[in-house]
Amino acid sequence: MCAEYATFGLAPAMRAGGVLAGGDYQVHRDFVDFVVDGRPLLFQLSDLDAVSPLASDVPPAIFTAQVRSLLLESDAPLPGGRYVIYGCPECEDLACGAVTAAIERDGDDFVWRDFAWQTDDNADLELNGYHGIGPFRFRGAEYRAALGSLLDGTATGERRRVLLIGARVAVLAKLAAALRTIGIGADITQDAQDVPADELRGYGAVAFGRAVGEEERAAVRRTFARAGVDVAYVDGLAPIVPLLVAQIEHALDRSPLAQRRLTGLSADGDAAQVEVTSPCRVRLTAYRLDRLYRSHTHEVFDGVLEAGRHRLTLDAKAVKGQAFVVARTSGSVLAAPVAR
């Protein structure tokens, strides 16, 4: 089989959850993505909302079976030697659609070929094939070492719990409920000093409310530092639950910066500046607080953007007063205040 060698690697990735306009929820999923020639393979598949089979929330036995399957240590799950590369982030039903590929061994090499979109047991390569992707030939040693790291414990899992610290208990309770709904654990406290180090290691982020003073914040940072736990710290922009969820989602994103789709967001009263690294669907939402501290939500933009920096006009009414914007793709989210 003729195919040039490609490099194979793995990198942490996530399907960003969130509280969407209208009260809908999108589930958060952490997974391990495939990196081909230094770039996430998922980015080559247009704007696909999907996760790899190597998701952190599947039972360990199933996760191990998925890894060994990709190593061709078991029979292919689909006819024609085909394997699921990316599937539905909400369920495991093939009927929702999945990206599949034939995986085979050629000597010591592993080859991924004939990528296709598949909704039942049989793939129609002519109708649903990804004709511009692959075949990819991977050196056996590199391929086995990358996947083997998931089996020997050298690849670390993600921490999906968040510690919430603030004075407004009602807001924290709503925020914790929203986070739990999308699959992120959340605990509320006003003092982390007495929390055992083993419990602190379960947190990936700490979110501070705006009323938390600098001394209290410093004390929390010292507590985590003494426990040797590296977490992301979030300074809440405003007591607006969907906005805070977006900030926490961004803080939990541990994927390499060079492998993210959404890399920049800023806004003033006239427009938002959004930067993406590959073509993808972007949703831009504006949140504002009125004089009575009631929150208002406005959908600003929902469409596909090409790679580069884009200026999206903002409706003056949508960002009147104290306002914020959230940009979201399937795999990442950013939040920013509207500068005046």
Side-chain angles (χ1 to χ4, degrees), residues 10-13 33 35 38-40 43 255-261 263 277:
L10 302 171
D33 198 6
V35 179
R39 188 165 179 261
F43 288 11
S255 62
L257 290 174
Q259 295 174 6
R260 298 185 188 182
R261 256 183 174 153
T263 56
T277 60

Side-chain angles (χ1 to χ4, degrees), residues 248-259:
I248 290 169
E249 280 285 306
H250 173 65
L252 290 174
D253 188 354
R254 296 303 177 90
S255 62
L257 290 174
Q259 295 174 6

Side-chain angles (χ1 to χ4, degrees), residues 73-130:
E73 296 179 4
S74 59
D75 293 336
L78 297 171
R82 302 189 68 81
Y83 297 76
V84 173
I85 305 301
Y86 295 106
C88 175
E90 301 286 348
C91 68
E92 298 179 3
D93 193 345
L94 185 62
C96 291
V99 176
T100 66
I103 302 179
E104 60 190 21
R105 190 178 288 112
D106 185 18
D108 192 48
D109 300 336
F110 288 80
V111 178
W112 289 19
R113 60 174 176 81
D114 296 338
F115 287 81
W117 179 254
Q118 197 165 338
T119 56
D120 55 35
D121 285 343
N122 297 300
D124 187 333
L125 295 180
E126 183 175 348
L127 182 63
N128 297 316
Y130 287 96

Side-chain angles (χ1 to χ4, degrees), residues 116-203:
W117 179 254
Q118 197 165 338
T119 56
D120 55 35
D121 285 343
N122 297 300
D124 187 333
L125 295 180
E126 183 175 348
L127 182 63
N128 297 316
Y130 287 96
H131 302 293
I133 299 178
F136 300 117
R137 176 182 291 271
F138 306 117
R139 290 180 172 84
E142 180 182 55
Y143 185 87
R144 286 189 293 268
L147 289 170
S149 70
L150 301 176
L151 299 176
D152 62 19
T154 58
T156 59
E158 296 297 306
R159 290 169 291 162
R160 292 197 299 158
R161 296 195 68 79
V162 180
L163 187 62
L164 309 177
I165 301 176
R168 301 185 64 173
V169 177
V171 173
L172 294 181
K174 291 179 181 179
L175 175 57
L179 290 169
R180 291 165 187 155
T181 299
I182 67 173
I184 298 174
D187 299 309
I188 301 171
T189 188
Q190 291 191 348
D191 186 358
Q193 294 187 54
D194 296 328
V195 179
D198 286 345
E199 291 187 25
L200 294 179
R201 294 188 184 96
Y203 294 108

Side-chain angles (χ1 to χ4, degrees), residues 26-44:
Q26 181 169 290
V27 175
H28 176 105
R29 298 290 302 280
D30 291 308
F31 64 99
V32 177
D33 198 6
F34 309 110
V35 179
V36 178
D37 285 336
R39 188 165 179 261
L41 180 59
L42 187 59
F43 288 11
Q44 299 185 41

Side-chain angles (χ1 to χ4, degrees), residues 303-315:
V304 175
L305 297 178
E306 296 297 318
R309 190 172 179 84
H310 302 267
R311 185 179 186 274
L312 304 177
T313 302
L314 296 175
D315 184 341

